[in-house]
């Protein structure tokens, strides 16, 4: 069965410092991977996605992620964190059910706290 | 011009009651979903509908009944509410599955926080 693991439950980072969030997936075929962000009291916003091609993908808000098949990883990075980046981050993989069905399997999330 | 909207945003009710959450999307998508986020922030799919047809039902108790009157709406009705139903419920939508075109991303609504007392 497909699964996504985010090893870090919490990460605290100083404003202006770099950030890396880890994501490992288990999926038999070529994975379709996503990172979503959930700000406090808000819904989920898509940061970026990987389907195929270039393994380094750029997203919104200055985020990027790198797909590494050999490590089954899709880590999220940002070179310089802003206070507004404090949020919960979720990695997800798409499972294709049948012709008209797919679902997202989410990791447990990583809460990012930003120190001034 | 909200893409995926849900009502209500907050819902507080007592055990045993019946309640509904409504979801609407104006993205022209064919597929809609309900996800449940528990108190530990874990997200899990409950249902998905494609063009009003139920596609996914992830072993959800039959007290939960989704209804899709048209492809832009997917409502969630919950009977005999229990304490364990307290959670945030998210509606989402995505375009019709198009192999090799990568149309798999899902767009989420703001969530409905359900509290059962």
């Amino acid at each position: 069965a497909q699964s996504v693991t985010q090893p870090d439950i919490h990460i605290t980072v100083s404003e202006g410092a770099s950030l890396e969030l880890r994501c490992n997936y288990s999926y038999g075929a070529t994975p379709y991977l996503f990172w979503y962000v959930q700000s406090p009291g808000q819904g989920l916003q898509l940061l970026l996605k990987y389907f195929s091609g270039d393994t380094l993908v750029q997203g919104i808000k200055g985020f990027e992620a790198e797909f590494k098949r050999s490590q089954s990883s899709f880590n999220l990075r940002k070179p310089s964190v802003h206070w507004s980046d404090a949020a919960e981050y979720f990695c997800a993989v798409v499972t294709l059910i049948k012709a008209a069905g797919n679902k997202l399997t989410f990791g447990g999330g990583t809460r990012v706290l930003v120190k001034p | 011009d909200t893409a995926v909207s849900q009502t209500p945003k907050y819902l507080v009710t007592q055990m045993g009651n019946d309640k509904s959450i409504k979801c609407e999307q104006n993205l022209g998508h064919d597929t809609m979903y309900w996800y449940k986020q528990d108190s530990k922030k874990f997200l899990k799919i409950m249902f998905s509908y494609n063009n009003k047809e139920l596609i996914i039902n992830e072993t959800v108790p039959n007290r939960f009944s989704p209804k899709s009157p048209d492809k832009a709406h997917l409502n969630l009705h919950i009977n005999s509410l229990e304490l364990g139903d307290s959670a945030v419920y998210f509606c989402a939508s995505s375009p019709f599955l198009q192999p090799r075109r990568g149309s798999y991303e899902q767009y989420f609504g703001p969530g409905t926080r359900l509290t059962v007392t």
Side-chain angles (χ1 to χ4, degrees):
Chain A
Q2 300 77 20
S3 66
V4 178
T5 302
Q6 294 179 243
D8 304 303
I9 297 175
H10 295 105
I11 285 183
T12 300
V13 61
S14 297
E15 193 168 14
S18 63
L19 174 69
E20 181 165 9
L21 304 182
R22 296 183 291 163
C23 171
N24 294 99
Y25 67 89
S26 171
Y27 191 70
T30 301
Y32 299 95
L33 295 157
F34 303 87
W35 275 99
Y36 284 86
V37 60
Q38 183 180 21
S39 298
Q42 303 297 312
L44 286 89
Q45 182 181 22
L46 179 66
L47 281 177
L48 46 77
K49 61 190 179 188
Y50 171 77
F51 293 141
S52 64
D54 194 347
T55 56
L56 185 63
V57 293
Q58 303 296 321
I60 62 171
K61 304 186 179 189
F63 284 92
E64 65 177 26
E66 186 170 13
F67 171 66
K68 292 185 177 180
R69 185 186 297 276
S70 62
Q71 298 178 19
S72 297
S73 69
F74 187 55
N75 293 349
L76 181 72
R77 298 193 292 255
K78 185 168 184 177
S80 177
V81 167
H82 186 261
W83 64 265
S84 60
D85 293 322
E88 190 92 23
Y89 291 80
F90 293 94
C91 183
V93 64
V94 162
T95 302
L96 305 182
I97 306 298
K98 53 184 179 180
N102 67 87
K103 65 175 184 179
L104 289 175
T105 299
F106 286 90
T110 298
R111 175 167 292 184
V112 173
L113 304 174
V114 180
K115 295 190 301 185
Chain B
D1 57 344
T2 305
V4 183
S5 60
Q6 296 177 229
T7 54
K9 189 168 175 61
Y10 300 96
L11 184 53
V12 181
T13 188
Q14 292 183 329
M15 285 175 55
N17 285 348
D18 304 337
K19 290 292 178 185
S20 292
I21 306 172
K22 295 185 176 181
C23 177
E24 176 181 4
Q25 55 94 5
N26 61 8
L27 297 166
H29 289 167
D30 292 284
T31 308
M32 296 184 72
Y33 312 79
W34 279 109
Y35 287 84
K36 180 180 179 180
Q37 185 175 47
D38 63 22
S39 59
K40 296 185 178 179
K41 300 284 190 180
F42 185 68
L43 279 151
K44 191 172 182 342
I45 191 167
M46 301 173 68
F47 302 102
S48 89
Y49 268 75
N50 179 268
N51 253 327
K52 304 192 294 177
E53 178 189 357
L54 179 66
I55 301 296
I56 296 172
N57 182 340
E58 286 280 299
T59 60
V60 177
N62 57 15
R63 297 184 295 104
F64 290 79
S65 52
K67 295 236 175 0
S68 182
D70 55 62
K71 73 173 192 177
H73 296 84
L74 180 61
N75 303 324
L76 184 64
H77 188 75
I78 315 171
N79 290 326
S80 303
L81 277 155
E82 301 177 356
L83 292 176
D85 297 331
S86 295
V88 180
Y89 293 85
F90 286 102
C91 177
S93 71
S94 67
F96 181 69
L97 193 71
Q98 298 185 47
R100 298 181 297 278
R101 295 188 63 181
S103 303
Y104 305 117
E105 62 261 38
Q106 296 182 16
Y107 298 87
F108 284 78
T112 296
R113 181 174 294 276
L114 172 64
T115 302
V116 183
T117 62

